Amino acid sequence: MREKSNTIKQEKHTNSIIYDDNSSARACSILTQHGAIDTPVFMPVGTLGTVKGLSQEQLSHPVGAQIMLGNTYHLYLRPGKEILKHAGGIHQFISWSKPILTDSGGYQVYSLADRRKIDEHGVQFKSHIDGSTHVFTPENAVCIQRKIGADIMMAFDECTPYPVSHKEAQLSMDRTHRWLDRGLKKFKESTPCYGYPQIFAPIVQGSVYSDLRKSSAEFISQKNAPINAIGGLSVGEPIDLMYQMTQEVCDILPKNKPRYLMGVGTPLNILECISLGIDMFDCVMPTRNGRNGMLFTIDGVINIKNQKWKSDFSQIDTNAYSTVGSQYTKAYLRHLFSVNELLGKQIASIHNLSFYIWLTNQARKKIIDGSFVAWKNRISKNLDKRL
């Protein structure tokens, strides 16, 4: 373990970065008005201002989340930016005092392929709620996120599907870069609504093409943003390509700025990408899969709906990261799922998020004490195993 504070420029949004000697893994703290975020970090997804099925109190404890995500597209439609502004911003509206990150709506627009039209100006789309027509541009995506009041806001980008041709990926990437310049200009011209600074983060695109990813990473690096994100992965491409693109981008992005890999992934994906130099992660998998009976543990993956757990009165998980795992038995949790009791989904979600956050917290400790690679190699063997 070595601390490179003597060679890394001190940034107002981050403290010095600690590197692992045997990989590209790093640890730092991102400084926001609502608290510091210690990395590596997993950020639970709170699409509509809530992590589905959990209270903010549960998200704070026992889960231990440092930060949560909000979804600009969904919050724009409901409750609406004016309601959020009247409430005093997203933190006041949802009673969450810790940092919040909002995406720009780009990924949701991508997912509305049959409901949207993209041109140079922006994206026109129809609401999935009532079919009403709306327009997102790089500029109003900034204005909306100003009114939401997130600590970290994302640039409006275009996310390509997989597979996509090289030509289409390049056209999309170039448009994302032009949109970034427009969004950055609007960000610099506008001011926060609630008296605290916000961070604006650009997004690297380029699908699975090395030349495009490198070009995009170089373009984004020139913007000198406090945080840089990597988008357009975890959209169906093979895992080895995701790792390859991540590594190639991390080799180019500034080493003294946190890196956020959007929408990734499984526990094993997260550990591998930490070793490549990623600092921030988000994914719906721990809560979405949890609501469907899938539990992530250090020993492997449990499908609690399986018959084999019906008479298993052992604890869900005896490891220290899960208070609910040591409180309830597998047989009881399976019973809750078999009768469609909401408590079962809540327990599984709390357990999974606790595990993800424990995993990134442990990664930070191992990076700092110099044992990250050995630890990662040891626990990775079982993470994807079906129990």
Side-chain angles (χ1 to χ4, degrees), residues 18 78 122 136 168 177 210 228 257 264 272 297 340:
I18 298 171
R78 295 183 300 189
F136 271 13
E168 290 173 307
H177 291 173
S210 292
N228 296 300
K257 306 293 181 64
V264 175
E272 290 298 328
T297 79
N340 199 30

Side-chain angles (χ1 to χ4, degrees), residues 2-19:
R2 61 191 186 278
E3 185 167 349
K4 292 190 173 179
S5 56
N6 59 326
T7 59
I8 295 176
K9 180 182 177 183
Q10 188 80 8
E11 299 292 327
K12 64 179 179 179
H13 295 293
T14 59
N15 66 4
S16 55
I17 297 179
I18 298 171
Y19 287 80

Side-chain angles (χ1 to χ4, degrees), residues 197-245:
Q198 294 172 281
I199 297 170
F200 183 81
I203 303 172
V204 174
Q205 289 290 351
S207 187
V208 294
Y209 299 103
S210 292
D211 61 326
L212 299 183
R213 284 287 175 180
K214 292 175 182 177
S215 174
S216 187
E218 289 167 356
F219 183 88
I220 267 62
S221 297
Q222 294 170 3
K223 305 305 173 183
N224 197 32
I227 296 171
N228 296 300
I230 304 170
L233 296 176
S234 194
V235 292
E237 77 283 352
I239 295 299
D240 59 338
L241 278 178
M242 180 184 76
Y243 292 152
Q244 178 189 338
M245 295 301 103

Side-chain angles (χ1 to χ4, degrees), residues 39-58:
T39 72
V41 63
F42 180 80
M43 305 180 286
V45 178
T47 300
L48 286 160
T50 174
V51 175
K52 193 178 291 292
L54 305 186
S55 69
Q56 274 66 273
E57 289 77 14
Q58 290 170 319

Side-chain angles (χ1 to χ4, degrees), residues 189-322:
E189 292 173 349
S190 60
T191 57
C193 295
Y194 309 110
Y196 54 85
Q198 294 172 281
I199 297 170
F200 183 81
I203 303 172
V204 174
Q205 289 290 351
S207 187
V208 294
Y209 299 103
S210 292
D211 61 326
L212 299 183
R213 284 287 175 180
K214 292 175 182 177
S215 174
S216 187
E218 289 167 356
F219 183 88
I220 267 62
S221 297
Q222 294 170 3
K223 305 305 173 183
N224 197 32
I227 296 171
N228 296 300
I230 304 170
L233 296 176
S234 194
V235 292
E237 77 283 352
I239 295 299
D240 59 338
L241 278 178
M242 180 184 76
Y243 292 152
Q244 178 189 338
M245 295 301 103
T246 299
Q247 181 170 14
E248 291 177 357
V249 169
C250 285
D251 286 344
I252 295 171
L253 290 178
K255 296 187 182 302
N256 62 325
K257 306 293 181 64
R259 303 162 182 154
Y260 166 28
L261 182 58
M262 305 178 77
V264 175
T266 68
L268 184 58
N269 294 158
I270 288 173
L271 284 187
E272 290 298 328
C273 291
I274 288 173
S275 73
L276 298 175
I278 296 296
D279 307 290
M280 305 168 68
F281 301 88
D282 80 283
C283 189
V284 297
M285 187 172 287
T287 46
R288 180 177 292 171
N289 289 28
R291 293 194 302 274
N292 287 287
M294 179 180 287
L295 306 178
F296 297 99
T297 79
I298 199 170
D299 299 313
V301 181
I302 296 172
N303 183 349
I304 202 64
K305 294 181 179 180
N306 286 347
Q307 183 75 11
K308 66 186 293 185
W309 310 116
K310 184 175 183 178
S311 300
D312 189 326
F313 300 105
S314 64
Q315 295 169 322
I316 297 167
D317 196 332
T318 58
N319 291 289
Y321 51 77
S322 177

